[in-house]
Amino acid sequence: MNPSAERWLDREAGPLVRPYARTRGRTRPAGAGFDLIAVVAATGAQPGDRLRYSPDHARILRGCARPVAVVDLASEFGLPLGVVRVLLGDLRDEGLIAVVDSAAPAGGRPGRGVLREVLNGLRAL
């Protein structure tokens, strides 16, 4: 194997794929973005030929079979959060997933209850 090819191969992980290659160079989803704690779920619509999706799209769509937080999808599949957001945007645009709960209030700031729980959790550490 030549030296230039070695940097694209991690012996344990296999071939490396750059994040921008997974999203076709896009860094943000079309339309509204996704909060970290937004809960998404598959709508049950069949993808058919409407979306020529990648294996990553298919994995995320299967992961949305039950309601799941965006951050949990990124963690579960080992993908960067930005990549997951772009792929979710593609799926949402095709009507295959929907945001079922967004815990972030309209003003963008968390409520007192959330802050109190975070503070109690930090104190418990």
Side-chain angles (χ1 to χ4, degrees), residues 43-76:
T43 61
Q46 295 300 315
D49 289 337
R50 294 182 305 177
L51 177 67
R52 304 210 186 281
Y53 54 87
S54 68
D56 290 325
H57 283 101
R59 285 183 8 195
I60 288 177
L61 185 57
R62 282 192 304 272
C64 292
R66 57 172 173 60
V68 61
V70 171
V71 70
D72 291 337
L73 281 172
S75 175
E76 181 178 338

Side-chain angles (χ1 to χ4, degrees), residues 22-104:
R22 293 176 183 264
T23 63
R24 298 182 206 127
R26 296 169 295 148
T27 58
R28 295 199 172 134
F34 293 90
D35 291 330
L36 288 174
I37 55 177
V39 177
V40 294
T43 61
Q46 295 300 315
D49 289 337
R50 294 182 305 177
L51 177 67
R52 304 210 186 281
Y53 54 87
S54 68
D56 290 325
H57 283 101
R59 285 183 8 195
I60 288 177
L61 185 57
R62 282 192 304 272
C64 292
R66 57 172 173 60
V68 61
V70 171
V71 70
D72 291 337
L73 281 172
S75 175
E76 181 178 338
F77 296 119
L79 293 171
L81 188 58
V83 170
V84 171
R85 285 176 166 161
V86 170
L87 298 176
L88 283 172
D90 294 344
L91 295 171
R92 178 192 55 205
D93 293 347
E94 294 296 324
L96 300 174
I97 62 125
V99 176
V100 294
D101 182 31
S102 182

